[in-house]
């Protein structure tokens, strides 16, 4: 059965996915977007979808200092840029530090030297909860997406960080619209159908903590349940250890300022960025329909046939 998997899955992928992420040149009609992209679970990059947002011209470091510089926000701090990622036999989360927005800008602009990598990445709608002063410069939902799905987003998130900040490969149960305001975001995407080729492990959760001497240590969360996560780094995959990944079909795309990526629910993704890149994304809860049940079946079959090791 294992020897048949690459041939079968590649044939099926060719039927519904192109070899590159397609572009749309204008915001779509809600019905057409649902029919052409959401229902078939296919990503695309949309240009001119938020060209009317003042944020595209306003969100300079100077403007942000003036507007929200004194606001205290949550910042993820790690020694190596990998927050929420496998490190050895641990799943290690960042140190969550409360900092003023201006102090984050000082680090990004090189005005202050600090050990560690700093990334504003707290989700759970941090734009609305921590930086509501910036919402006049964007929109709190994407009208055509809200109409297509018949709901408002569960969360609206703000992202700002260093070039060395990395989002390790994972999947989300959300329909994701990812809008780059400045800089560039680089995505590696894999469809849910590649699940048999993507290794999983179960790891003891831990957090980074910076000591008084500036060095970071890893502190176990001994009372927490173990976390299933992907140990593979798609930038440098260890194919000797994870040979099944040879059959995976990653798509790579760069999303530039003014562009919006539609990242469908359950797609695996890994993200890097240019230094100081700013983005806003909208998470719409996925429909737990027949597609989700088929994915759960594929997940179970992958575990039974060894696709999770």
């Amino acid at each position: 059965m294992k020897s048949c998997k690459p041939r079968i899955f590649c044939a099926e992928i060719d039927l519904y996915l192109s070899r590159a992420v397609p572009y749309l040149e204008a915001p779509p009609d809600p019905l057409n977007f649902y029919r052409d992209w959401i229902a078939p679970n296919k990503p695309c990059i949309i240009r001119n979808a938020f060209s009317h947002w003042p944020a595209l011209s306003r969100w300079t470091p100077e403007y942000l200092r003036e507007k929200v510089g004194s606001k205290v926000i949550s910042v993820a701090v790690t020694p190596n840029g990998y927050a929420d990622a496998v490190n050895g036999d641990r799943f290690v989360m960042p140190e969550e530090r409360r900092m003023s927005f201006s102090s984050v800008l000082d680090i990004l602009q090189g005005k202050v030297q600090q050990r560690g990598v700093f990334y504003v990445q707290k989700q759970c709608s941090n734009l609305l909860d921590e930086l509501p002063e910036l919402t006049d410069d964007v929109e709190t939902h994407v009208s055509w997406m809200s109409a297509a799905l018949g709901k408002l987003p569960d969360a609206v998130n703000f992202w700002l960080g260093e070039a060395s900040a990395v989002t390790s490969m994972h999947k989300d149960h959300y329909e994701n619209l990812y809008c780059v305001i400045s800089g560039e975001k680089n995505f590696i995407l894999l469809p849910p159908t590649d699940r048999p080729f993507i290794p999983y492990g179960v790891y003891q959760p831990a957090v980074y903590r910076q000591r008084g001497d500036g060095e970071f240590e890893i502190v176990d969360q001994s009372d927490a349940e173990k976390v299933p996560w992907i140990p593979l780094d798609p930038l440098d995959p260890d194919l000797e250890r994870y040979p099944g990944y040879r059959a995976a079909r990653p798509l790579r795309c760069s999303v530039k300022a003014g562009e919006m990526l539609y990242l469908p629910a359950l797609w695996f993704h890994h993200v890097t960025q240019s230094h100081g890149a700013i983005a806003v994304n909208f998470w719409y809860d996925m429909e737990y329909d027949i597609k989700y049940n088929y994915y759960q079946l594929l997940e179970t079959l992958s575990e039974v046939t060894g696709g999770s090791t």
Side-chain angles (χ1 to χ4, degrees), residues 171-185:
K171 67 180 187 299
D172 298 309
H173 293 77
Y174 292 103
E175 307 289 354
N176 189 350
L177 291 179
Y178 202 99
C179 309
V180 177
I181 306 298
S182 65
E184 184 174 323
K185 292 276 186 169

Side-chain angles (χ1 to χ4, degrees), residues 195-196 200 228 296-309:
R195 172 60 186 88
Y200 264 84
Q296 292 301 103
L297 174 61
L298 181 59
E299 180 89 19
T300 302
L301 290 174
S302 297
E303 294 172 357
V304 169
T305 59
S308 60
T309 58

Side-chain angles (χ1 to χ4, degrees), residues 249-264:
R249 303 279 290 278
L251 302 177
R252 288 173 169 81
C253 65
S254 293
V255 185
K256 298 175 174 58
E259 296 179 340
M260 171 190 290
L261 171 67
Y262 166 57
L263 177 57

Side-chain angles (χ1 to χ4, degrees), residues 19 33 94 103 114 140 173 184 222 250 258:
R19 297 297 181 95
F33 191 73
S103 63
Q114 290 267 13
T140 56
H173 293 77
E184 184 174 323
S222 54

Side-chain angles (χ1 to χ4, degrees), residues 4-70:
C4 296
K5 284 194 295 186
R7 178 179 58 82
I8 294 172
F9 276 90
C10 287
E12 292 179 347
I13 287 173
D14 287 338
L15 291 176
Y16 88 101
L17 283 182
S18 57
R19 297 297 181 95
V21 178
Y23 284 85
L24 305 181
E25 295 299 331
D29 169 80
L31 178 59
N32 288 337
F33 191 73
Y34 191 92
R35 181 190 63 198
D36 295 340
W37 304 99
I38 299 175
N41 195 243
K42 298 194 299 185
C44 63
I45 295 173
I46 308 162
R47 292 171 170 150
N48 304 304
F50 56 100
S51 54
H52 56 290
W53 287 7
L56 285 170
S57 58
R58 286 182 182 171
W59 283 8
T60 63
E62 295 73 25
Y63 175 85
L64 293 172
R65 282 184 189 276
E66 179 181 350
K67 192 78 171 177
V68 294
S70 62

